[in-house]
Amino acid sequence: MPTYTAPVKDMQFVLHEMLNVTEQDVEGYSDLDADFTGAILEEAGKISSEVLQPLNVVGDAEGCTLENGVVRTPTGFKEAFDQMRDGGWTALDCDPEYGGQGLPYLMGTAVGEMMVSANMAFNMYQGLTHGAYSAIHAHGTDEQKAKYLPNMVTCQWTGTMNLTEPHCGTDLGLMRTKAAPQEDGTYKISGQKIFISAGEHDMSENIIHLVLAKIEGGPEGIKGVSLFIVPKFMVNDDGSLGARNGVAVGNIEEKMGIHGNSTCVMNYDEATGYLLGTEHKGMRAMFTMMNEARLGVGLQGYAQAAVAYENAAWYANDRLQGRDVTGAKNPDGPADPLIVHPDIRRNLMDQKSFVEGARAFVFWGANLIDRHHRAGDDDADGLISLMTPVIKGFLTDKGFEYATAAQQVYGGHGYIEEWGMSQFARDARIAMIYEGANGVQALDLVGRKLAQDGGKHVMAFFEMVKSFIKENSGDEAFDKEFLEPLKAASKDLQAAGMYFMQNGMKNPNHALAGSYDFMHMMGHVCLGLMWARMAKAAQASLDGGASDKAFYETKIATGRYYMARQLPATAMHLARINSGADTVMALEAANF
């Protein structure tokens, strides 16, 4: 059975040696000294490893059950949810005005990684609630915020997002769910939504659904979509719960993974709804939740790879198979451990270098969100907007790839449920699909984000890379091992952008056919930048006489591996992009 140990030391390194959080001019960051963040992370690590992780296999084996319109969660989930709630973990980075602790989003992200690694399906209940909280906090009236947020902060009430319909996934303009205006200012919501995570369950007193629907008589297509608050139970003026609303679960979806989360078909039968934000501007309000969710899904991708890697590394050191070709390393035993074999090491180094680079990338992204919200930095907002499809798409693609790579280390045992490795791969798979499938993320990146604000943000990113290289050159080894590969990869990325500019206007398919490769190119360049920054920080600690030399030397060696073995993939992606759309579009539809 898998285990989980929270990577507190590595998180502390990213927070305090790469990001230097206490030196940043962001409200609340001066309080984030190493003792304070360490205490939070240690406690979060304990609840993750001791409470949530043992329930991961329980949730996978039992799943959720529908009984007389009520969804029962797996054994132990409700008690663990109560423990999370009582410990204040759901309120970590929420607004103190509504009962939150007011910590930066960055700290919520770090704690979130631990809980996703420990039990992804369980963490989704509070994770989706946080997204719904954020949407109401950003777009709700003062009355709506006072009515719903305090109980959502504590997860006495949980939240959902309802977008998808049976005939309507990415193309939300096709949705049929209707909202009929009422004389009292409410709306009657009627329709069906599918794939609704945590749509119904037994762990909270109420569920606050955020539902996209079209107001009768509104504009056609996506321009006619509005967002509504639709509570499971009506909320009285004094805050008490009233009658059951006209919303019910129709079925629980049978899924490949995340069995412990109740993914529901939700039926709305003239349910009472309250407009959130402005009429026909529902996508604007929903994207507050969607963008947060996409960052969270990118986190899910690498967090599943992280726990899978942890277990694969243990197995490789424990399992005896074959002999080291250079000489026995375990001469008194019948064989050497798997870790001696170069191909096992290659596999594990692929995983390790991705996980640690991805962690730095997501923490940096969370830092940009804090810079925007807490320091009014609009450039940070533009940069994280550019990075969001990369974080979501690249990290979930690679997260699934490396979860299955960890499974490979186990050989046949990786395919047997007894060892638990298949769950990481099955759970990771959904992250490539929901909150906008990764192909859509690539289209968003190339079709919208590159040109956003006249290309200002992508040019700022290129300048960031260029400036880092210029400011940190001069050490021969660092230049050769980190800066030169980063410079070459950045040039590949710029060349791909130039190809789109020169050819995309003539034939948009030339850009769109290369969008997926571009998303991966940009992901590699971002991780390359993170690794260069981490290597620089690690070397500074070594030069300063750090006591834990092994940690910093390992960090640099892992970064060196990424730059040599992973970052050159940008050249392959550029070659694909430069081949254009002709080969992609060559076949008639009937010939597939």
Side-chain angles (χ1 to χ4, degrees):
M1 182 175 172
T3 60
Y4 175 66
T5 303
V8 174
K9 187 174 182 65
D10 199 61
M11 290 182 172
Q12 288 281 76
F13 170 77
V14 175
L15 290 173
H16 299 288
E17 298 184 65
M18 191 195 94
L19 292 175
N20 295 310
V21 288
T22 58
E23 299 175 20
Q24 294 194 29
D25 58 340
V26 177
E27 181 187 347
Y29 271 37
S30 61
D31 298 327
L32 300 181
D33 61 69
D35 289 341
F36 180 69
T37 59
I40 292 173
L41 296 177
E42 289 288 351
E43 287 304 309
K46 285 180 183 177
I47 193 171
S48 296
S49 61
E50 297 173 8
V51 178
L52 304 188
Q53 192 277 332
L55 293 175
N56 199 35
V57 67
V58 176
D60 189 52
E62 291 187 11
C64 297
T65 57
L66 178 60
E67 300 174 358
N68 300 320
V70 177
V71 173
R72 305 296 180 190
T73 50
T75 303
F77 269 46
K78 190 175 190 307
E79 292 77 10
F81 203 67
D82 289 341
Q83 193 169 337
M84 285 269 293
R85 182 189 294 125
D86 294 343
W89 294 107
T90 65
L92 204 65
D93 59 350
C94 295
D95 190 342
E97 184 176 347
Y98 303 104
Q101 297 178 36
L103 290 177
Y105 181 74
L106 176 57
M107 289 307 299
T109 299
V111 170
E113 181 200 319
M114 295 180 179
M115 294 183 175
V116 170
S117 285
N119 195 326
M120 177 172 158
F122 177 91
N123 191 69
M124 289 170 65
Y125 291 97
Q126 69 92 12
L128 286 158
T129 303
H130 192 287
Y133 152 87
S134 296
I136 295 173
H137 190 272
H139 301 284
T141 64
D142 290 341
E143 180 185 2
Q144 288 172 335
K145 288 188 277 191
K147 192 171 192 175
Y148 299 107
L149 294 188
N151 282 311
M152 295 179 74
V153 165
T154 62
C155 277
Q156 290 296 129
W157 301 350
T158 55
T160 70
M161 55 194 298
N162 286 238
L163 291 80
T164 307
E165 299 181 9
H167 50 278
C168 161
T170 300
D171 191 353
L172 293 172
L174 298 176
M175 73 172 54
R176 296 172 185 163
T177 301
K178 297 297 183 183
Q182 305 298 299
E183 291 184 0
D184 62 358
T186 65
Y187 294 78
K188 292 297 183 185
I189 311 297
S190 298
Q192 185 181 80
K193 300 289 185 177
I194 62 171
F195 307 155
I196 308 306
S197 301
E200 171 64 36
H201 58 86
D202 58 359
M203 299 195 300
S204 65
E205 297 172 355
N206 202 5
I207 301 176
I208 310 304
H209 301 287
L210 297 191
V211 184
L212 285 178
K214 290 184 176 179
I215 299 174
E216 295 176 348
E220 291 297 316
I222 198 69
K223 294 181 179 180
V225 172
S226 301
L227 185 62
F228 300 89
I229 299 171
V230 186
K232 173 182 172 180
F233 289 101
M234 302 301 292
V235 182
N236 298 321
D237 291 340
D238 63 0
S240 63
L241 298 183
R244 177 70 184 254
N245 204 355
V247 52
V249 59
N251 193 20
I252 299 178
E253 307 283 8
E254 295 289 336
K255 310 185 297 291
M256 175 180 175
I258 54 169
H259 296 153
N261 193 268
S262 55
T263 308
C264 300
V265 175
M266 302 301 298
N267 296 319
Y268 293 86
D269 184 10
E270 295 195 338
T272 298
Y274 306 87
L275 183 67
L276 179 60
T278 307
E279 281 190 1
H280 315 312
K281 301 292 183 183
M283 292 309 298
R284 179 184 171 213
M286 182 58 85
F287 266 102
T288 298
M289 189 173 182
M290 285 285 285
N291 284 333
E292 177 180 316
R294 286 173 175 171
L295 206 73
V297 172
L299 183 151
Q300 287 180 333
Y302 86 80
Q304 288 301 289
V307 66
Y309 162 73
E310 176 188 326
N311 285 274
W314 168 83
Y315 188 82
N317 278 281
D318 184 74
R319 175 77 166 174
L320 302 181
Q321 289 283 285
R323 288 294 187 189
D324 188 335
V325 294
T326 64
K329 295 297 186 291
N330 181 34
D332 296 330
D336 289 332
L338 281 171
I339 194 73
V340 305
H341 303 301
D343 191 62
I344 293 292
R345 286 174 170 257
R346 172 204 57 78
N347 189 343
L348 291 172
M349 287 297 285
D350 281 348
Q351 297 172 53
K352 180 177 174 64
S353 63
F354 164 73
V355 166
E356 294 179 16
R359 177 177 296 126
F361 186 24
V362 168
F363 281 25
W364 175 62
N367 174 219
L368 292 175
I369 290 175
D370 280 333
R371 293 202 64 82
H372 172 57
H373 289 303
R374 290 171 171 257
D377 188 339
D378 290 337
D379 289 338
D381 185 46
L383 195 53
I384 191 57
S385 179
L386 172 70
M387 293 299 166
T388 295
V390 183
I391 289 172
K392 196 281 181 186
F394 179 69
L395 297 190
T396 59
D397 276 354
K398 289 295 181 180
F400 174 71
E401 177 183 336
Y402 292 128
T404 58
Q407 191 181 22
Q408 186 76 12
V409 172
Y410 282 69
H413 290 299
Y415 200 67
I416 302 299
E417 292 298 332
E418 175 188 356
W419 288 84
M421 295 303 289
S422 72
Q423 185 183 353
F424 300 134
R426 288 185 286 104
D427 286 356
R429 184 65 182 88
I430 185 57
M432 301 164 69
I433 299 172
Y434 62 12
E435 308 304 344
N438 286 357
V440 176
Q441 301 301 319
L443 296 180
D444 177 50
L445 174 64
V446 170
R448 294 180 62 247
K449 298 299 175 63
L450 292 185
Q452 189 173 4
D453 296 328
K456 171 183 176 182
H457 307 301
V458 71
M459 295 307 297
F461 175 68
F462 288 139
E463 184 59 35
M464 178 186 299
V465 175
K466 181 180 178 181
S467 296
F468 179 87
I469 293 170
K470 182 178 180 181
E471 292 166 8
N472 292 282
S473 62
D475 180 281
E476 184 177 351
F478 186 72
D479 288 357
K480 181 178 181 181
E481 295 170 350
F482 288 92
L483 298 187
E484 289 179 12
L486 179 59
K487 184 176 182 179
S490 181
K491 284 186 174 181
D492 285 344
L493 188 63
Q494 292 176 66
M498 186 61 67
Y499 175 87
F500 292 154
M501 290 178 62
Q502 294 173 344
N503 297 276
M505 293 297 289
K506 304 172 192 173
N507 180 358
N509 283 338
H510 284 311
L512 300 184
S515 61
Y516 213 94
D517 283 286
F518 188 86
M519 180 178 72
H520 274 248
M521 283 183 81
M522 195 160 184
H524 278 299
V525 173
C526 288
L527 262 64
L529 176 61
M530 295 301 111
W531 270 117
R533 292 180 64 181
M534 287 192 288
K536 191 73 177 177
Q539 188 60 56
S541 292
L542 286 172
D543 293 343
S547 58
D548 191 355
K549 289 182 62 178
F551 173 83
Y552 295 106
E553 289 171 349
T554 299
K555 181 65 68 175
I556 293 171
T558 306
R560 193 181 293 126
Y561 178 91
Y562 191 88
M563 307 306 274
R565 299 282 300 222
Q566 296 293 330
L567 196 54
T570 58
M572 174 193 70
H573 290 299
L574 178 60
R576 289 176 175 174
I577 289 169
N578 283 336
S579 72
D582 292 345
T583 55
V584 175
M585 306 302 292
L587 297 184
E588 295 294 329
N591 293 331
F592 278 90

